[in-house]
Amino acid sequence: MAATSSSPPCVNVSMSSHLLRKPSCTILRVFGLSQPGSRSNRRVGRLTVTRSNLAQDFLGDFGARDPYPEEIASQFGDKVLGCQSTEHKILIPNASVLSLSQLDCSPVSPSQPPLSADDARTLLHKVLGWSIVEDEAGSRKIRCMWKVRDFGCGVELINRIHKVAEASGHYPSLHLESPTQVRAELSTTSIGGLSLNDFIMAAKIDDIKTSDLSPRKRAWA
């Protein structure tokens, strides 16, 4: 009569024995994470341990492995990882990467309808720091605010924006609200709302350097 005992999924123990005498053979099979395709048998007295790998069957290929001799000979590490002196940077996508600032503003026909709310919200994701607002008449526009160091920096920012708008032919409404705050608003008045030109111009304004105009950070001792 044979008895079989079960255990956790990774270990399968099977024993063949008779109740009235000592078991003639005990086989212990262990399924682990050894090298792919490997199988080993080891006998200790009446106990035979069989170890095989099931990782390739139900866990897939995972984790790291040692490189093959051919890979080491090919110096693949230098080709893949680069030299130690190489400078690696993680760049956050901006409006320039998304290509809006590289487009040119085009003439807008007065008969053209303004952008819908959904289209405006989609384009808003491609500019930085702008928000959609509505005036008293219900027309949409986009707005951006800057905090500057002083009155002179505010004037300088307005001049930089004006220079970019002059080259594009699409002009925002600029306001120096206080000595340290500048506001810009964009809309296409000929259609009474937003057009693609407004977002192109917003992306071009985003490319303007403003770090030298920002308030200085306090250095705490």
Side-chain angles (χ1 to χ4, degrees):
M1 180 176 181
T4 303
S5 60
S6 61
S7 51
C10 63
V11 178
N12 181 15
V13 180
S14 61
M15 295 182 294
S16 60
S17 61
H18 295 279
L19 296 177
L20 301 179
R21 62 185 179 86
K22 295 182 180 179
S24 59
C25 179
T26 301
I27 301 175
L28 174 64
R29 293 186 176 90
V30 180
F31 302 96
L33 304 180
S34 56
Q35 293 295 327
S38 64
R39 184 182 181 93
S40 62
N41 296 322
R42 187 161 59 96
R43 186 176 181 87
V44 181
R46 295 180 179 272
L47 179 65
T48 300
V49 179
T50 301
R51 183 180 180 87
S52 60
N53 181 35
L54 287 184
Q56 300 298 320
D57 296 334
F58 61 91
L59 293 179
D61 187 11
F62 70 98
R65 62 168 176 81
D66 294 333
Y68 297 119
E70 293 81 4
E71 293 174 333
I72 298 176
S74 67
Q75 298 180 346
F76 75 100
D78 294 337
K79 299 175 183 178
V80 176
L81 302 178
C83 301
Q84 295 181 353
S85 60
T86 303
E87 183 180 7
H88 300 276
K89 294 182 179 180
I90 299 176
L91 301 178
I92 300 175
N94 53 31
S96 177
V97 175
L98 300 175
S99 300
L100 264 185
S101 64
Q102 299 174 3
L103 301 177
D104 295 326
C105 295
S106 58
V108 177
S109 172
S111 61
Q112 176 180 325
L115 293 173
S116 64
D118 291 338
D119 291 339
R121 282 192 292 267
T122 299
L123 288 171
L124 190 67
H125 292 297
K126 298 188 176 185
V127 293
L128 307 176
W130 295 79
S131 59
I132 299 176
V133 296
E134 291 187 4
D135 57 18
E136 297 178 354
S139 299
R140 297 186 186 90
K141 60 180 68 175
I142 53 176
R143 173 185 295 169
C144 189
M145 309 281 289
W146 292 270
K147 193 76 173 177
V148 294
R149 189 164 56 248
D150 50 36
F151 179 81
C153 292
V155 174
E156 175 61 23
L157 177 57
I158 290 176
N159 290 334
R160 294 181 186 181
I161 295 175
H162 176 267
K163 184 178 179 179
V164 174
E166 189 75 24
S168 301
H170 193 68
Y171 299 90
S173 176
L174 300 173
H175 306 270
L176 186 60
E177 294 195 331
S178 71
T180 59
Q181 185 166 285
V182 175
R183 172 169 56 92
E185 293 179 345
L186 280 162
S187 66
T188 305
T189 55
S190 61
I191 61 174
L194 291 170
S195 69
L196 180 61
N197 287 346
D198 300 313
F199 293 92
I200 292 175
M201 190 63 218
K204 292 180 182 295
I205 293 175
D206 286 339
D207 286 346
I208 297 174
K209 180 184 177 182
T210 59
S211 58
D212 58 326
L213 307 177
S214 302
R216 293 188 179 93
K217 296 181 180 180
R218 290 185 177 182
W220 297 97

